[in-house]
Each structure stands twice: as C-alpha cells, then as structure tokens.
Coordinates of all heavy atoms in Angstrom, one line a residue:
M1 N 0.8 -1.2 0.0 CA 0.0 0.0 0.0 C 0.9 1.2 0.0 O 1.8 1.3 0.8 CB -0.9 0.0 1.3 CG -1.8 1.2 1.4 SD -2.7 1.3 2.9 CE -3.5 -0.3 3.0
D2 N 0.6 2.2 -0.9 CA 1.4 3.4 -0.9 C 0.8 4.5 0.0 O -0.3 4.3 0.5 CB 1.7 3.9 -2.4 CG 0.4 4.4 -3.0 OD1 -0.6 4.8 -2.4 OD2 0.4 4.3 -4.3
F3 N 1.6 5.6 0.1 CA 1.1 6.6 1.0 C -0.3 7.2 0.6 O -1.1 7.4 1.5 CB 2.1 7.8 1.0 CG 3.3 7.5 1.8 CD1 4.6 7.5 1.3 CD2 3.2 7.3 3.2 CE1 5.7 7.3 2.0 CE2 4.4 7.1 4.0 CZ 5.6 7.1 3.4
N4 N -0.5 7.4 -0.7 CA -1.7 8.0 -1.1 C -2.9 7.1 -0.8 O -4.0 7.5 -0.4 CB -1.7 8.4 -2.6 CG -0.7 9.5 -2.8 OD1 -0.6 10.4 -2.0 ND2 -0.1 9.6 -4.0
E5 N -2.7 5.8 -1.1 CA -3.8 4.8 -0.9 C -4.1 4.8 0.6 O -5.3 4.8 1.0 CB -3.4 3.5 -1.4 CG -4.5 2.4 -1.2 CD -4.1 1.0 -1.6 OE1 -3.0 0.8 -2.2 OE2 -4.9 0.1 -1.3
Y6 N -3.0 4.7 1.4 CA -3.2 4.7 2.9 C -4.0 5.9 3.3 O -5.0 5.8 4.1 CB -1.9 4.6 3.6 CG -2.1 4.7 5.1 CD1 -2.6 3.6 5.8 CD2 -2.0 5.9 5.8 CE1 -2.9 3.7 7.2 CE2 -2.3 6.0 7.1 CZ -2.7 4.9 7.8 OH -3.1 5.0 9.1
Q7 N -3.6 7.1 2.9 CA -4.2 8.3 3.3 C -5.7 8.4 3.0 O -6.6 8.8 3.8 CB -3.5 9.5 2.7 CG -3.9 10.8 3.4 CD -3.0 12.0 2.9 OE1 -2.4 11.9 1.8 NE2 -2.9 13.0 3.7
L8 N -6.1 7.9 1.8 CA -7.5 7.9 1.4 C -8.3 6.9 2.2 O -9.4 7.2 2.7 CB -7.6 7.5 -0.1 CG -7.3 8.6 -1.1 CD1 -7.3 8.0 -2.5 CD2 -8.3 9.7 -1.0
R9 N -7.7 5.7 2.4 CA -8.4 4.7 3.2 C -8.5 5.1 4.7 O -9.5 4.9 5.4 CB -7.7 3.4 3.1 CG -7.8 2.8 1.7 CD -7.3 1.4 1.6 NE -8.2 0.5 2.4 CZ -7.9 -0.8 2.6 NH1 -6.9 -1.3 2.0 NH2 -8.7 -1.6 3.3
A10 N -7.4 5.8 5.2 CA -7.4 6.3 6.6 C -8.5 7.3 6.8 O -9.3 7.2 7.8 CB -6.1 6.9 6.9
E11 N -8.7 8.2 5.9 CA -9.7 9.2 6.1 C -11.1 8.6 6.1 O -12.0 9.2 6.7 CB -9.6 10.3 5.0 CG -10.3 11.6 5.6 CD -10.6 12.6 4.5 OE1 -10.8 12.2 3.4 OE2 -10.8 13.8 4.9
S12 N -11.3 7.5 5.4 CA -12.6 6.9 5.3 C -13.1 6.4 6.7 O -14.3 6.2 6.9 CB -12.7 5.7 4.3 OG -12.0 4.6 4.9
F13 N -12.2 6.3 7.7 CA -12.5 5.9 9.0 C -12.7 7.1 10.0 O -13.0 6.9 11.1 CB -11.5 5.0 9.6 CG -11.3 3.7 8.9 CD1 -10.3 3.5 7.9 CD2 -12.2 2.7 9.1 CE1 -10.2 2.3 7.2 CE2 -12.1 1.5 8.4 CZ -11.1 1.3 7.5
A14 N -12.4 8.3 9.4 CA -12.5 9.5 10.3 C -14.0 9.9 10.5 O -14.6 10.3 9.5 CB -11.7 10.7 9.7
I15 N -14.4 9.8 11.7 CA -15.8 10.1 12.0 C -16.0 11.5 12.6 O -17.1 12.0 12.8 CB -16.5 9.1 12.9 CG1 -15.7 8.9 14.2 CG2 -16.6 7.7 12.1 CD1 -16.4 8.0 15.2
Y16 N -14.9 12.1 13.0 CA -15.0 13.4 13.7 C -14.8 14.6 12.7 O -13.9 14.6 11.9 CB -13.9 13.5 14.8 CG -14.0 12.5 15.9 CD1 -13.3 11.3 15.8 CD2 -14.9 12.7 16.9 CE1 -13.5 10.4 16.8 CE2 -15.1 11.7 17.9 CZ -14.4 10.6 17.8 OH -14.6 9.6 18.8
E17 N -15.7 15.5 12.8 CA -15.6 16.7 11.9 C -14.7 17.8 12.5 O -14.2 18.6 11.8 CB -17.1 17.3 11.8 CG -18.0 16.3 11.0 CD -17.5 16.0 9.6 OE1 -16.9 16.9 8.9 OE2 -17.6 14.8 9.2
E18 N -14.5 17.8 13.8 CA -13.7 18.8 14.5 C -12.3 18.8 13.9 O -11.6 17.8 13.9 CB -13.6 18.5 16.0 CG -12.7 19.4 16.7 CD -12.9 20.9 16.6 OE1 -14.0 21.3 16.8 OE2 -11.9 21.6 16.2
R19 N -11.9 20.0 13.4 CA -10.6 20.1 12.7 C -9.4 19.8 13.6 O -8.4 19.2 13.1 CB -10.5 21.5 12.1 CG -9.3 21.7 11.2 CD -9.2 23.1 10.7 NE -8.1 23.3 9.9 CZ -7.7 24.5 9.4 NH1 -8.4 25.6 9.8 NH2 -6.6 24.6 8.7
L20 N -9.5 20.1 14.9 CA -8.4 19.9 15.8 C -8.3 18.5 16.3 O -7.2 18.1 16.8 CB -8.6 20.8 17.0 CG -8.2 22.3 16.8 CD1 -8.4 23.1 18.1 CD2 -6.8 22.4 16.3
Y21 N -9.3 17.7 16.1 CA -9.3 16.3 16.6 C -8.0 15.5 16.2 O -7.3 15.0 17.1 CB -10.5 15.5 16.2 CG -10.5 14.1 16.7 CD1 -10.9 13.8 18.0 CD2 -10.0 13.1 16.0 CE1 -10.9 12.6 18.5 CE2 -9.9 11.8 16.5 CZ -10.3 11.5 17.7 OH -10.3 10.3 18.2
P22 N -7.7 15.4 14.9 CA -6.5 14.6 14.6 C -5.2 15.2 15.1 O -4.2 14.5 15.4 CB -6.5 14.5 13.1 CG -7.5 15.6 12.6 CD -8.4 15.9 13.7
V23 N -5.2 16.6 15.3 CA -3.9 17.2 15.8 C -3.7 16.8 17.3 O -2.7 16.4 17.7 CB -4.0 18.7 15.6 CG1 -2.7 19.4 16.2 CG2 -4.1 19.1 14.2
V24 N -4.8 17.0 18.0 CA -4.8 16.6 19.5 C -4.5 15.1 19.6 O -3.6 14.7 20.4 CB -6.0 17.1 20.2 CG1 -6.0 16.6 21.6 CG2 -6.2 18.6 20.1
S25 N -5.2 14.4 18.9 CA -5.0 12.9 18.9 C -3.6 12.5 18.5 O -3.1 11.5 19.1 CB -6.1 12.2 18.1 OG -6.1 10.9 18.3
L26 N -3.0 13.2 17.6 CA -1.6 12.9 17.2 C -0.7 13.1 18.3 O 0.2 12.2 18.5 CB -1.2 13.9 16.0 CG 0.1 13.7 15.4 CD1 0.3 12.3 14.9 CD2 0.3 14.7 14.3
I27 N -0.9 14.1 19.1 CA -0.1 14.3 20.3 C -0.2 13.2 21.3 O 0.7 12.6 21.8 CB -0.4 15.7 21.0 CG1 0.0 16.8 20.1 CG2 0.3 15.8 22.3 CD1 -0.6 18.1 20.5
I28 N -1.5 12.8 21.6 CA -1.8 11.8 22.5 C -1.2 10.4 22.1 O -0.6 9.7 22.8 CB -3.3 11.7 22.7 CG1 -3.9 12.9 23.4 CG2 -3.7 10.4 23.5 CD1 -5.4 13.1 23.4
E29 N -1.4 10.1 20.8 CA -0.9 8.8 20.3 C 0.6 8.8 20.3 O 1.2 7.7 20.5 CB -1.5 8.5 18.9 CG -3.1 8.4 18.9 CD -3.6 7.2 19.8 OE1 -2.8 6.3 20.2 OE2 -4.8 7.2 20.0
S30 N 1.2 9.9 20.0 CA 2.7 10.0 20.0 C 3.2 9.7 21.4 O 4.2 9.0 21.6 CB 3.2 11.3 19.6 OG 2.8 11.6 18.2
A31 N 2.5 10.2 22.4 CA 2.8 10.0 23.8 C 2.6 8.5 24.2 O 3.4 8.0 24.9 CB 2.0 10.9 24.7
E32 N 1.6 7.9 23.7 CA 1.3 6.5 23.9 C 2.5 5.6 23.4 O 2.9 4.7 24.0 CB 0.0 6.0 23.4 CG -1.2 6.6 24.2 CD -2.5 6.2 23.6 OE1 -2.6 5.4 22.6 OE2 -3.6 6.6 24.1
L33 N 3.0 6.0 22.2 CA 4.1 5.3 21.6 C 5.3 5.5 22.4 O 6.0 4.5 22.8 CB 4.3 5.8 20.1 CG 5.5 5.2 19.4 CD1 5.3 3.7 19.2 CD2 5.7 5.8 18.0
A34 N 5.6 6.7 22.8 CA 6.8 7.0 23.6 C 6.7 6.3 25.0 O 7.7 5.8 25.5 CB 7.0 8.5 23.8
D35 N 5.5 6.3 25.5 CA 5.3 5.7 26.8 C 5.7 4.2 26.9 O 6.1 3.7 27.9 CB 3.8 5.8 27.2 CG 3.5 5.5 28.6 OD1 4.2 6.1 29.5 OD2 2.6 4.7 28.9
L36 N 5.6 3.5 25.7 CA 6.0 2.1 25.7 C 7.5 2.0 26.1 O 7.9 1.0 26.7 CB 5.8 1.5 24.3 CG 4.3 1.4 23.8 CD1 4.3 0.9 22.4 CD2 3.5 0.4 24.7
Y37 N 8.3 3.0 25.7 CA 9.7 3.0 26.0 C 10.1 3.7 27.2 O 11.0 3.3 27.9 CB 10.4 3.6 24.8 CG 10.3 2.7 23.5 CD1 9.2 2.9 22.7 CD2 11.2 1.8 23.2 CE1 9.0 2.1 21.6 CE2 11.1 1.0 22.1 CZ 10.0 1.2 21.3 OH 9.8 0.4 20.2
V38 N 9.4 4.8 27.5 CA 9.8 5.7 28.6 C 9.6 5.1 30.0 O 10.5 5.1 30.8 CB 9.1 7.1 28.5 CG1 9.4 7.9 29.7 CG2 9.6 7.8 27.2
K39 N 8.4 4.5 30.2 CA 8.1 4.0 31.5 C 9.1 2.9 31.9 O 9.7 2.9 33.0 CB 6.7 3.5 31.6 CG 5.8 4.7 31.9 CD 4.4 4.2 32.3 CE 3.5 5.4 32.5 NZ 2.1 5.1 32.3
P40 N 9.4 1.9 31.1 CA 10.4 0.9 31.5 C 11.7 1.5 31.7 O 12.5 1.1 32.6 CB 10.4 -0.1 30.3 CG 9.1 0.1 29.6 CD 8.7 1.5 29.8
L41 N 12.1 2.5 31.0 CA 13.4 3.2 31.1 C 13.4 3.9 32.5 O 14.4 3.8 33.2 CB 13.6 4.2 30.0 CG 14.9 4.9 30.0 CD1 16.0 4.0 29.6 CD2 14.9 6.1 29.0
L42 N 12.4 4.6 32.8 CA 12.3 5.3 34.1 C 12.3 4.4 35.3 O 12.8 4.7 36.3 CB 11.1 6.3 34.1 CG 11.1 7.5 33.2 CD1 9.8 8.3 33.2 CD2 12.3 8.4 33.4
R43 N 11.6 3.3 35.1 CA 11.5 2.3 36.2 C 12.8 1.5 36.3 O 13.1 1.0 37.4 CB 10.4 1.3 35.9 CG 9.0 1.8 36.2 CD 8.0 0.6 36.2 NE 8.1 -0.2 35.0 CZ 7.2 -0.2 34.0 NH1 6.1 0.6 34.1 NH2 7.3 -1.0 33.0
G44 N 13.5 1.5 35.3 CA 14.8 0.8 35.3 C 14.7 -0.7 35.2 O 15.6 -1.4 35.4
D45 N 13.5 -1.1 34.7 CA 13.4 -2.6 34.6 C 13.5 -2.9 33.1 O 13.4 -2.1 32.2 CB 12.1 -3.1 35.1 CG 10.8 -2.4 34.6 OD1 11.0 -1.7 33.6 OD2 9.8 -2.5 35.2
A46 N 13.9 -4.2 32.9 CA 14.1 -4.6 31.5 C 12.9 -5.3 30.9 O 12.9 -6.5 30.7 CB 15.3 -5.5 31.5
V47 N 11.9 -4.6 30.8 CA 10.6 -5.1 30.2 C 10.8 -5.2 28.7 O 11.2 -4.2 28.1 CB 9.4 -4.3 30.6 CG1 8.2 -4.8 29.9 CG2 9.2 -4.2 32.1
D48 N 10.5 -6.3 28.1 CA 10.5 -6.4 26.7 C 9.3 -5.7 26.1 O 8.2 -5.9 26.6 CB 10.4 -7.9 26.3 CG 11.7 -8.6 26.5 OD1 12.7 -8.0 26.5 OD2 11.7 -9.9 26.7
I49 N 9.6 -4.8 25.2 CA 8.5 -4.1 24.6 C 8.0 -4.9 23.4 O 8.7 -5.4 22.5 CB 9.0 -2.7 24.1 CG1 9.5 -1.9 25.3 CG2 7.9 -2.0 23.3 CD1 10.4 -0.8 25.0
E50 N 6.7 -5.2 23.4 CA 6.1 -6.0 22.4 C 6.0 -5.3 21.1 O 5.5 -4.2 21.0 CB 4.7 -6.5 22.8 CG 4.7 -7.6 23.8 CD 3.3 -8.1 24.1 OE1 2.5 -8.3 23.1 OE2 2.9 -8.3 25.2
R51 N 6.6 -5.9 20.0 CA 6.5 -5.4 18.7 C 5.1 -5.1 18.2 O 4.8 -4.1 17.6 CB 7.2 -6.4 17.8 CG 7.2 -6.1 16.3 CD 7.8 -7.3 15.5 NE 7.5 -7.2 14.1 CZ 8.2 -6.5 13.3 NH1 9.3 -5.8 13.7 NH2 7.9 -6.4 12.0
K52 N 4.2 -5.9 18.7 CA 2.8 -5.8 18.3 C 2.2 -4.4 18.9 O 1.5 -3.7 18.2 CB 2.0 -6.9 18.9 CG 0.5 -7.0 18.5 CD -0.1 -8.3 19.1 CE -1.6 -8.3 19.0 NZ -2.2 -9.4 19.6
Q53 N 2.6 -4.1 20.1 CA 2.2 -2.8 20.7 C 2.8 -1.6 20.0 O 2.1 -0.6 19.8 CB 2.6 -2.8 22.2 CG 1.7 -3.6 23.1 CD 2.2 -3.4 24.5 OE1 3.3 -3.8 24.9 NE2 1.4 -2.7 25.3
V54 N 4.0 -1.8 19.6 CA 4.7 -0.7 18.9 C 4.0 -0.4 17.6 O 3.7 0.7 17.2 CB 6.2 -1.0 18.7 CG1 6.9 0.1 17.8 CG2 6.9 -1.1 20.0
I55 N 3.7 -1.5 16.8 CA 3.1 -1.4 15.5 C 1.7 -0.7 15.7 O 1.3 0.1 15.0 CB 3.0 -2.7 14.8 CG1 4.4 -3.2 14.4 CG2 2.0 -2.7 13.6 CD1 4.5 -4.6 13.9
S56 N 1.0 -1.2 16.8 CA -0.4 -0.6 17.0 C -0.3 0.9 17.3 O -1.1 1.7 16.7 CB -1.0 -1.4 18.2 OG -2.3 -0.8 18.5
E57 N 0.6 1.3 18.2 CA 0.6 2.7 18.5 C 1.2 3.6 17.4 O 0.8 4.7 17.2 CB 1.5 2.9 19.8 CG 0.9 2.3 21.1 CD -0.5 2.9 21.4 OE1 -0.9 3.9 20.9 OE2 -1.2 2.3 22.2
A58 N 2.2 3.0 16.7 CA 2.7 3.7 15.5 C 1.6 3.9 14.5 O 1.5 4.9 13.8 CB 3.9 3.0 14.9
G59 N 0.8 2.9 14.3 CA -0.4 3.0 13.4 C -1.3 4.1 13.8 O -1.8 4.8 13.0
D60 N -1.5 4.2 15.1 CA -2.4 5.3 15.6 C -1.8 6.7 15.3 O -2.5 7.6 14.9 CB -2.6 5.2 17.1 CG -3.4 4.0 17.5 OD1 -4.1 3.4 16.6 OD2 -3.4 3.6 18.7
V61 N -0.5 6.8 15.4 CA 0.2 8.0 15.1 C 0.0 8.3 13.6 O -0.3 9.4 13.2 CB 1.7 8.0 15.5 CG1 2.4 9.2 14.9 CG2 1.9 7.9 17.0
L62 N 0.3 7.3 12.8 CA 0.2 7.4 11.3 C -1.2 7.8 10.9 O -1.4 8.7 10.0 CB 0.7 6.1 10.7 CG 0.7 6.1 9.1 CD1 1.6 7.1 8.6 CD2 1.0 4.7 8.6
W63 N -2.2 7.2 11.5 CA -3.6 7.5 11.1 C -3.9 8.9 11.3 O -4.5 9.6 10.5 CB -4.5 6.6 11.9 CG -6.0 6.7 11.4 CD1 -6.6 6.1 10.4 CD2 -6.9 7.6 12.0 NE1 -7.9 6.6 10.3 CE2 -8.1 7.5 11.2 CE3 -6.9 8.5 13.1 CZ2 -9.3 8.2 11.5 CZ3 -8.1 9.2 13.3 CH2 -9.2 9.1 12.6
N64 N -3.6 9.4 12.5 CA -3.9 10.8 12.9 C -3.2 11.8 12.0 O -3.7 12.8 11.6 CB -3.7 11.1 14.3 CG -4.8 10.5 15.2 OD1 -5.9 11.1 15.2 ND2 -4.5 9.4 15.8
L65 N -1.9 11.5 11.7 CA -1.1 12.4 10.8 C -1.7 12.4 9.4 O -1.9 13.4 8.8 CB 0.4 11.9 10.8 CG 1.3 12.7 9.9 CD1 1.4 14.2 10.3 CD2 2.6 12.1 9.8
A66 N -2.1 11.2 8.9 CA -2.6 11.1 7.6 C -3.9 11.9 7.5 O -4.2 12.6 6.5 CB -2.8 9.6 7.2
V67 N -4.8 11.7 8.5 CA -6.1 12.4 8.4 C -5.9 13.9 8.6 O -6.6 14.7 7.8 CB -7.0 11.8 9.5 CG1 -8.3 12.7 9.7 CG2 -7.4 10.4 9.2
F68 N -5.1 14.3 9.5 CA -4.8 15.7 9.7 C -4.3 16.3 8.3 O -4.9 17.4 7.9 CB -3.8 16.0 10.8 CG -3.2 17.3 10.7 CD1 -3.9 18.4 11.1 CD2 -1.8 17.5 10.4 CE1 -3.3 19.7 11.0 CE2 -1.3 18.8 10.3 CZ -2.0 19.9 10.7
L69 N -3.3 15.7 7.7 CA -2.8 16.3 6.5 C -3.8 16.3 5.4 O -3.9 17.2 4.6 CB -1.6 15.4 6.0 CG -0.3 15.5 6.9 CD1 0.7 14.5 6.5 CD2 0.2 17.0 6.9
K70 N -4.6 15.2 5.3 CA -5.7 15.1 4.2 C -6.6 16.3 4.4 O -7.0 16.9 3.4 CB -6.4 13.8 4.4 CG -7.5 13.6 3.3 CD -6.9 13.1 2.0 CE -8.0 12.6 1.0 NZ -8.8 13.7 0.5
R71 N -7.0 16.6 5.6 CA -8.0 17.7 5.8 C -7.3 19.1 5.6 O -8.0 20.1 5.3 CB -8.6 17.6 7.2 CG -9.5 16.4 7.3 CD -10.1 16.2 8.6 NE -11.1 15.1 8.6 CZ -11.8 14.7 9.6 NH1 -11.7 15.3 10.7 NH2 -12.7 13.8 9.4
E72 N -6.0 19.1 5.6 CA -5.3 20.3 5.3 C -4.9 20.4 3.8 O -4.3 21.3 3.3 CB -4.0 20.4 6.1 CG -4.2 20.6 7.6 CD -5.0 21.9 8.0 OE1 -4.6 22.9 7.5 OE2 -6.0 21.8 8.7
G73 N -5.4 19.4 3.0 CA -5.1 19.3 1.6 C -3.6 19.0 1.3 O -3.1 19.4 0.2
I74 N -3.0 18.3 2.2 CA -1.6 17.9 2.0 C -1.5 16.4 1.8 O -2.0 15.7 2.7 CB -0.7 18.4 3.2 CG1 -0.8 19.9 3.3 CG2 0.7 17.9 3.0 CD1 -0.2 20.5 4.6
R75 N -0.8 15.9 0.8 CA -0.6 14.5 0.6 C 0.5 14.0 1.4 O 1.6 14.6 1.5 CB -0.4 14.2 -0.9 CG -1.5 14.6 -1.8 CD -1.3 14.2 -3.2 NE 0.0 14.1 -3.7 CZ 0.5 13.4 -4.7 NH1 -0.4 12.7 -5.4 NH2 1.7 13.4 -5.0
L76 N 0.2 12.9 2.1 CA 1.3 12.2 2.9 C 2.5 11.9 2.1 O 3.6 12.1 2.6 CB 0.7 10.9 3.5 CG 1.4 10.2 4.6 CD1 1.6 11.1 5.8 CD2 0.6 9.0 5.1
E77 N 2.3 11.5 0.8 CA 3.4 11.2 -0.1 C 4.3 12.5 -0.2 O 5.5 12.3 -0.3 CB 2.9 10.8 -1.4 CG 4.0 10.4 -2.4 CD 3.5 9.9 -3.7 OE1 2.4 9.3 -3.7 OE2 4.1 10.2 -4.7
D78 N 3.7 13.6 -0.4 CA 4.5 14.9 -0.5 C 5.3 15.2 0.7 O 6.4 15.6 0.6 CB 3.6 16.0 -0.9 CG 2.9 15.9 -2.3 OD1 3.5 15.1 -3.1 OD2 1.9 16.5 -2.5
V79 N 4.7 14.9 1.9 CA 5.4 15.1 3.1 C 6.6 14.2 3.2 O 7.8 14.6 3.5 CB 4.5 14.9 4.3 CG1 5.3 14.9 5.6 CG2 3.4 15.9 4.4
A80 N 6.4 12.9 2.8 CA 7.5 12.0 2.8 C 8.6 12.4 1.9 O 9.8 12.3 2.2 CB 7.0 10.6 2.5
K81 N 8.3 12.8 0.7 CA 9.2 13.2 -0.3 C 10.0 14.4 0.1 O 11.3 14.5 0.0 CB 8.6 13.5 -1.7 CG 8.2 12.3 -2.5 CD 7.5 12.8 -3.8 CE 7.0 11.6 -4.6 NZ 6.2 12.0 -5.7
E82 N 9.3 15.4 0.7 CA 10.0 16.6 1.1 C 10.9 16.3 2.3 O 12.0 16.9 2.4 CB 9.0 17.7 1.6 CG 8.3 18.4 0.4 CD 9.3 19.1 -0.5 OE1 10.2 19.8 0.0 OE2 9.2 19.0 -1.7
N83 N 10.5 15.4 3.2 CA 11.3 15.1 4.3 C 12.6 14.4 3.9 O 13.7 14.8 4.4 CB 10.5 14.2 5.3 CG 11.4 13.8 6.5 OD1 11.8 12.6 6.6 ND2 11.6 14.7 7.4
I84 N 12.5 13.5 2.9 CA 13.8 12.8 2.4 C 14.6 13.9 1.7 O 15.9 13.9 1.8 CB 13.4 11.7 1.4 CG1 12.7 10.5 2.2 CG2 14.6 11.2 0.7 CD1 13.6 9.9 3.3
K85 N 14.0 14.8 1.0 CA 14.8 15.9 0.3 C 15.5 16.7 1.3 O 16.7 17.0 1.1 CB 13.8 16.7 -0.5 CG 14.4 17.4 -1.7 CD 13.5 18.4 -2.4 CE 12.3 17.8 -3.0 NZ 11.4 18.8 -3.7
K86 N 14.9 17.1 2.4 CA 15.5 17.9 3.4 C 16.6 17.2 4.1 O 17.7 17.7 4.3 CB 14.4 18.2 4.5 CG 14.9 19.1 5.7 CD 13.8 19.5 6.6 CE 13.3 18.4 7.4 NZ 12.3 18.8 8.4
L87 N 16.4 15.9 4.4 CA 17.5 15.1 5.1 C 18.7 14.9 4.2 O 19.8 15.0 4.6 CB 16.9 13.8 5.6 CG 15.9 13.9 6.7 CD1 15.2 12.5 6.9 CD2 16.4 14.5 7.9
T88 N 18.4 14.7 2.9 CA 19.5 14.5 1.9 C 20.3 15.8 1.8 O 21.5 15.7 1.8 CB 18.9 14.1 0.5 OG1 18.1 12.9 0.6 CG2 19.9 14.0 -0.5
K89 N 19.6 16.9 1.8 CA 20.3 18.2 1.7 C 21.2 18.4 3.0 O 22.4 18.9 2.9 CB 19.3 19.3 1.6 CG 19.9 20.7 1.4 CD 18.8 21.8 1.3 CE 19.3 23.1 1.9 NZ 18.2 23.9 2.4
R90 N 20.7 18.0 4.1 CA 21.5 18.1 5.3 C 22.7 17.2 5.3 O 23.8 17.6 5.8 CB 20.6 17.8 6.6 CG 19.6 18.8 6.9 CD 18.8 18.5 8.1 NE 17.8 19.5 8.3 CZ 16.9 19.5 9.3 NH1 16.8 18.4 10.0 NH2 16.1 20.5 9.5
V91 N 22.6 16.0 4.8 CA 23.8 15.2 4.6 C 24.8 15.8 3.7 O 26.0 15.9 4.0 CB 23.3 13.8 4.2 CG1 24.5 12.9 3.7 CG2 22.6 13.0 5.2
Q92 N 24.3 16.3 2.6 CA 25.2 16.9 1.6 C 25.9 18.1 2.1 O 27.0 18.4 1.8 CB 24.4 17.3 0.3 CG 23.9 16.1 -0.5 CD 22.9 16.4 -1.6 OE1 22.2 17.4 -1.6 NE2 22.7 15.4 -2.5
N93 N 25.2 18.9 3.0 CA 25.7 20.1 3.6 C 26.5 19.9 4.8 O 27.1 20.8 5.4 CB 24.6 21.1 3.9 CG 23.9 21.6 2.6 OD1 24.5 21.5 1.5 ND2 22.8 22.2 2.8
G94 N 26.5 18.6 5.3 CA 27.2 18.3 6.5 C 26.5 18.8 7.7 O 27.2 19.1 8.8
T95 N 25.2 19.0 7.7 CA 24.4 19.6 8.8 C 23.4 18.6 9.4 O 22.5 19.0 10.0 CB 23.7 20.9 8.4 OG1 22.8 20.6 7.3 CG2 24.7 21.9 8.0
I96 N 23.6 17.3 9.1 CA 22.7 16.3 9.6 C 22.7 16.3 11.1 O 21.6 16.0 11.7 CB 22.9 14.9 9.0 CG1 21.7 14.0 9.2 CG2 24.2 14.3 9.5 CD1 20.5 14.2 8.4
Q97 N 23.8 16.5 11.7 CA 23.9 16.6 13.2 C 23.7 18.1 13.5 O 24.0 19.0 12.8 CB 25.2 16.2 13.7 CG 25.4 14.7 13.6 CD 26.7 14.2 14.2 OE1 27.7 14.9 14.0 NE2 26.7 13.1 14.8
G98 N 23.1 18.3 14.7 CA 22.9 19.7 15.1 C 21.4 19.9 15.3 O 20.6 19.0 15.4
S99 N 21.0 21.2 15.4 CA 19.6 21.4 15.6 C 19.2 22.7 14.9 O 20.0 23.4 14.3 CB 19.3 21.6 17.1 OG 20.0 22.7 17.6
G100 N 17.9 23.0 14.8 CA 17.4 24.1 14.1 C 16.7 23.7 12.8 O 17.0 22.6 12.2
H101 N 15.7 24.4 12.4 CA 14.9 24.0 11.2 C 15.7 24.3 9.9 O 15.6 23.5 9.0 CB 13.6 24.9 11.2 CG 12.7 24.6 12.4 ND1 12.0 23.4 12.5 CD2 12.4 25.3 13.4 CE1 11.3 23.4 13.7 NE2 11.6 24.6 14.2
D102 N 16.4 25.4 9.9 CA 17.0 25.8 8.6 C 18.5 25.5 8.6 O 19.3 26.3 8.8 CB 16.8 27.4 8.5 CG 16.3 27.8 7.2 OD1 16.0 26.9 6.4 OD2 16.3 29.0 6.9
R103 N 18.8 24.3 8.3 CA 20.2 23.9 8.2 C 20.5 23.0 7.0 O 19.6 22.5 6.4 CB 20.7 23.2 9.5 CG 19.8 22.1 10.0 CD 20.3 21.7 11.4 NE 19.3 20.8 11.9 CZ 19.4 19.5 12.1 NH1 20.5 18.9 11.8 NH2 18.4 18.8 12.6
Ligands
MG201 MG1 -3.1 4.4 20.8

C-alpha cells in the first residue's frame, strides 16, 4: 500500500468533523508510543516491549497524521518526499547533526 492509498483509506474511518481532533489525537498517540519505551526506562526494569504494541501505537500516530494532512489538503506522499529531500540536503551540507529548522 502506498502513502496516497493509505491516506485515502485512513480518512474513510474519520468520523470526527472537528478540525483539531486529529492534531490533538496525534499528540496523545505519540505520547502512547513514547510511553511504551519511557516507563520501562524510568522504572529501570528490562521489560520487553512487544513489537505488536509498537506497531499498534505507531499505526495510531500514522492514522492521525494522515487524516490531519488530508484535511489540510496535503498529501502524505508529498510530506515523505519533502522530508527525504530535506534530510538528503542536510547530509550533503554536513548539517545532519545539530539542531534548528533551517540547516
Ligand atoms: Mg493508541
């Protein structure tokens, strides 16, 4: 399945009309994904993180991002292409390490 097909199918499940819903939910789902790793790290125990849980939470993040972008008229594929272009430029410029948007 390519990005465009995914984005179209993802939006078909979006039942909320509220524009902010996928943005807020994106934050929540990102936290749920991070939580799988952060809590065991903070507790200092060596809990195996289940691949199935990671895939599930990453899917929730992807779904919200795809729906948010679709409603903003932005194709997920274009975001992916631009991101790779930006990262490639950073490697070529020797700025892949560091911080800041414009490097
Ligand atoms: Mg979730």
